[in-house]
Amino acid sequence: AQSVAQPEDQVNVAEGNPLTVKCTYSVSGNPYLFWYVQYPNRGLQFLLKYITGDNLVKGSYGFEAEFNKSQTSFHLKKPSALVSDSALYFCAVRDFGTGRRALTFGSGTRLQVQP
Amino acid sequence: DGGITQSPKYLFRKEGQNVTLSCEQNLNHDAMYWYRQDPGQGLRLIYYSQIVNDFQKGDIAEGYSVSREKKESFPLTVTSAQKNPTAFYLCASSSGTEITDTQYFGPGTRLTVL
């Protein structure tokens, strides 16, 4: 069965500093990995995805994520955090090996960016 | 959220009542999904549909029912059999043509049982 772990419930970072939100996954086949962001009482917004190819994926709003197959990780990064980046971030995986199209989500990480 | 609408935004249900949550998309997507979000648990899959007139149970289908009579609509009914229905419900859709396709989400419905 596929699973996703986001080991940090909350990440705090000062505005202008780099940020990292961690994600590790477990799948039986090749993973398709996604990051979404959620603002209060809103739906999820798609940030980026990894399918294949370059391990560094660039997405919306200056975010990027690095796929590491040996460590089964897909950490979300941004070189310089903004206060407006404060939100709830979800990592998700789809297991190519199972053919299941629905996503399996992590529990979410709340990012707080202090001015 | 564009292209996927959910209504109502807030819904209150009394014990023993069935309620139906609406989800409509104008993205011409084949696949649609319902997730439930509880604090600290991420999203869990309730039902999904790959094509009209076909749907499958997800991980937590008990106490819920769906229909898919039209491509653009995928309503979710929360029945009285659902023991703890208070949650935030999110509908999503994807093109359904590729295993790599992206799911896009609606704005959600917050259901509260009184």
Side-chain angles (χ1 to χ4, degrees):
Chain A
Q2 56 198 41
S3 65
V4 177
Q6 294 182 243
E8 301 156 316
D9 290 336
Q10 182 158 322
V11 169
N12 297 306
V13 64
E15 187 174 31
N17 283 1
L19 69 87
T20 298
V21 182
K22 296 180 179 177
C23 171
T24 59
Y25 65 90
S26 175
V27 296
S28 58
N30 290 323
Y32 297 134
L33 293 153
F34 300 78
W35 276 102
Y36 287 85
V37 61
Q38 185 181 36
Y39 297 96
N41 293 311
R42 301 289 299 278
L44 275 65
Q45 295 180 28
F46 169 70
L47 282 178
L48 51 81
K49 67 181 178 183
Y50 171 81
I51 303 301
T52 187
D54 194 346
N55 289 342
L56 185 64
V57 179
K58 294 189 182 296
S60 305
Y61 313 119
F63 283 94
E64 57 190 26
E66 186 169 11
F67 172 68
N68 187 316
K69 187 173 183 178
S70 63
Q71 296 186 5
T72 62
S73 66
F74 189 55
H75 301 332
L76 182 70
K77 301 181 179 184
K78 188 174 183 182
S80 179
L82 300 172
V83 172
S84 59
D85 292 330
S86 298
L88 187 58
Y89 290 81
F90 289 99
C91 181
V93 68
R94 182 186 288 145
D95 186 347
F96 179 77
T98 65
R100 168 171 151 142
R101 288 182 178 274
L103 295 171
T104 297
F105 284 85
S107 56
T109 298
R110 187 165 302 282
L111 174 65
Q112 290 279 2
V113 182
Q114 285 107 18
Chain B
D1 299 344
I4 304 174
T5 58
Q6 291 186 242
S7 61
K9 186 171 182 178
Y10 298 97
L11 186 58
F12 297 91
R13 191 194 91 171
K14 295 181 180 179
E15 296 271 358
Q17 278 184 336
N18 292 353
V19 291
T20 298
L21 284 59
S22 170
C23 177
E24 304 275 334
Q25 54 98 0
N26 63 3
L27 302 171
N28 199 33
H29 284 169
D30 284 319
M32 297 186 74
Y33 311 81
W34 274 106
Y35 293 90
R36 169 179 170 145
Q37 184 178 12
D38 295 283
Q41 293 193 44
L43 278 70
R44 294 180 290 167
L45 181 68
I46 304 173
Y47 268 97
Y48 64 103
S49 168
Q50 294 295 114
I51 199 167
V52 174
N53 292 322
D54 186 48
F55 49 83
Q56 288 81 40
K57 293 181 179 179
D59 302 318
I60 55 165
E62 185 176 353
Y64 300 97
S65 66
V66 293
S67 63
R68 187 83 188 280
E69 297 176 0
K70 298 187 296 182
K71 185 175 184 178
E72 58 270 22
S73 179
F74 191 40
L76 173 74
T77 296
V78 184
T79 75
S80 56
Q82 169 50 234
K83 298 304 180 187
N84 184 23
T86 295
F88 192 49
Y89 291 86
L90 289 159
C91 177
S93 71
S94 67
S95 65
T97 56
E98 299 286 343
I99 190 69
T100 58
D101 63 8
T102 298
Q103 288 183 25
Y104 296 94
F105 285 79
T109 292
R110 186 167 298 281
L111 173 63
T112 303
V113 174
L114 302 174

